[in-house]
Amino acid sequence: GLFGSQWQGDPTLQQALGWSSNEQHQLVEAAVQTFEHGVMIWRGDTRQIYAIYDDNTWGVFDDTFAEGDMESDPSLVAPGGLQQPVRGFGKVWRNNPDVRAKFGWATAKEKADSASLQDFERGAMIYLAGQVFALSDGPQGRVWK
C-alpha cells in the first residue's frame, strides 16, 4: 500500500511500529493545524487529536469538543501574526499547559482535509498535507519520524 515501501525500506521503522493492523491504508476525514513548534491532526474516524511536536515526540487526545462549548478564550491574546487555536484543537491546547508550552501559538487556521492512514501494532502512519508522519508508541516512548 501507500506506506509499504517506506516501512519495508526502514528496519528501524519496522521495529518501532510493528506489523500493520490492516493490509491497506484507509482514507479518513481529517483536519490539520500548524503551530510554532509542531502540528495538530484531527482523525475523524476515531475523533482523536494527535499533537505532533518538533522535538519528534507526540501525544494523542480524545476530541471532546461539542457544539456549544467555548471555541476560544478571549483572555488569551496571540502575538502578532499568530493565533489561538479554536474548537477541538483549541480545547486540547487550552486544557493542557504542557501542550501549549511545547507548541506555542498556531501559525495558521485549521484546515479540513483527508488523510491516508494505516494503523500498526505500536502506532500509525499518516499521510496528510504532503507529509508522512510515522507515529510509534514503542520502547523509546512516543516518537515520530
Side-chain angles (χ1 to χ4, degrees):
L2 176 67
F3 303 111
S5 61
Q6 187 174 3
W7 185 85
Q8 289 176 343
D10 188 339
T12 305
L13 187 60
Q14 292 172 23
Q15 184 66 31
L17 289 173
W19 294 101
S20 173
S21 303
N22 43 344
E23 286 187 36
Q24 293 292 323
H25 69 276
Q26 57 183 329
L27 195 60
V28 299
E29 183 181 5
V32 62
Q33 186 166 26
T34 56
F35 289 78
E36 292 177 286
H37 304 289
V39 64
M40 276 190 178
I41 296 173
W42 175 74
R43 182 176 169 169
D45 63 328
T46 61
R47 292 192 45 85
Q48 291 178 306
I49 294 173
Y50 293 101
I52 304 170
Y53 307 105
D54 284 351
D55 67 0
N56 289 356
T57 62
W58 64 281
V60 63
F61 302 87
D62 290 330
D63 177 12
T64 60
F65 180 82
E67 291 303 324
D69 286 352
M70 183 174 71
E71 290 194 12
S72 65
D73 183 344
S75 71
L76 299 173
V77 180
L82 300 173
Q83 52 196 272
Q84 180 182 162
V86 298
R87 300 180 58 85
F89 290 157
K91 188 172 183 181
V92 168
W93 183 83
R94 286 189 310 276
N95 292 345
N96 296 279
D98 291 341
V99 171
R100 192 168 52 244
K102 283 182 83 168
F103 264 139
W105 295 92
T107 59
K109 291 183 178 188
E110 78 176 65
K111 179 184 173 207
D113 207 339
S114 296
S116 295
L117 189 136
Q118 193 157 1
D119 290 310
F120 288 80
E121 290 177 288
R122 293 180 294 280
M125 291 183 79
I126 303 169
Y127 177 77
L128 178 67
Q131 187 170 0
V132 173
F133 299 92
L135 307 174
S136 67
D137 194 6
Q140 275 69 41
R142 286 190 164 156
V143 296
W144 75 274
K145 186 173 178 171

